[in-house]
Amino acid sequence: MTVNELTTSDPAEGPAVTGERADLLETLAKHRHFLRFTTRDLTDEQAGLRTTAGELCLGGLIKHVASVERGWVDFILNGPSAMGDFTAMTEEDWTRRADEFRMLPGETLAGVLADYADVAARTDGLVAALPDLDVAWPLPKAPWFESGARWTARRVLLHIIAETAQHAGHADIVRESLDGAKSMG
């Protein structure tokens, strides 16, 4: 069975994950939970509301985190070509990227959460199945990456955890601004 096949299967059917991989998955699961928890008991309309001075809404934050996680897993599997050249993005590309941060007409909170669950299952399967967390690729071209830098799968997973935790914090602020609900406290 290939890594790609394993990453699309149910992680519960895969090998037992222990050690470093278990720690990475447990930490990621905790931050995913806090992000998803900010949407509890909300309607689709509420999930799409901007409640702060920024452009962020809860549904959009989850869409963005799912997209980022999907992209980085593609990077682990296929290298920088999976993410493209950010220095060559067009106005249309930037508009599509901005749409990750909002609930678009026809999108539902249930659909956004289901997509995120699928992305999470794929990532978890990859972490369990990847033969070596030291596999590394050069980063794609982007003004925010150091030229010539390479990231291992381990470093990418740490980045996914950091991104998820950061956006879970954003989501907590958005939710508290919406109706006073908090993730903790």
Side-chain angles (χ1 to χ4, degrees):
M1 187 172 278
T2 68
V3 171
N4 283 330
E5 290 169 328
L6 285 170
T7 61
T8 58
S9 67
D10 182 352
E13 297 172 9
V17 180
T18 60
E20 175 186 24
R21 292 167 193 253
D23 291 344
L24 290 167
L25 289 175
E26 182 181 338
T27 303
L28 183 53
K30 176 181 75 171
H31 294 298
R32 285 178 182 145
H33 165 75
F34 283 126
L35 177 59
R36 287 189 310 264
F37 190 64
T38 63
T39 66
R40 69 197 177 282
D41 304 321
L42 293 181
T43 66
D44 294 337
E45 181 183 9
Q46 289 171 312
L49 289 176
R50 294 176 36 214
T51 63
T52 64
E55 295 290 323
L56 302 178
C57 70
L58 294 171
L61 279 167
I62 292 172
K63 281 176 52 179
H64 171 68
V65 171
S67 175
V68 167
E69 187 170 322
R70 182 183 298 110
W72 280 112
V73 167
D74 289 345
F75 172 84
I76 290 171
L77 293 169
N78 302 307
S81 64
M83 297 181 88
D85 179 348
F86 291 98
T87 63
M89 286 180 64
T90 65
E91 197 63 39
E92 184 178 309
D93 294 329
W94 287 111
T95 298
R96 269 195 307 277
R97 185 174 171 94
D99 283 346
E100 288 179 4
F101 289 94
R102 13 182 187 274
M103 295 278 290
L104 300 175
E107 291 181 330
T108 65
L109 179 57
V112 168
L113 289 169
D115 180 58
Y116 188 38
D118 290 345
V119 169
R122 179 177 181 237
T123 301
D124 293 353
L126 175 65
V127 172
L130 194 66
D132 185 0
L133 293 179
D134 289 323
V135 63
W137 295 97
L139 291 174
K141 288 184 181 179
W144 49 85
F145 291 137
E146 176 186 344
S147 179
R150 296 175 64 83
W151 279 9
T152 63
R154 177 183 297 101
R155 175 65 184 88
V156 170
L157 293 168
L158 291 169
H159 179 73
I160 291 170
I161 291 167
E163 178 96 7
T164 304
Q166 178 180 13
H167 288 310
H170 292 141
D172 201 34
I173 292 167
V174 171
R175 177 61 191 258
E176 189 172 358
S177 298
L178 178 67
D179 63 5
K182 300 178 192 175
S183 294
M184 298 176 73

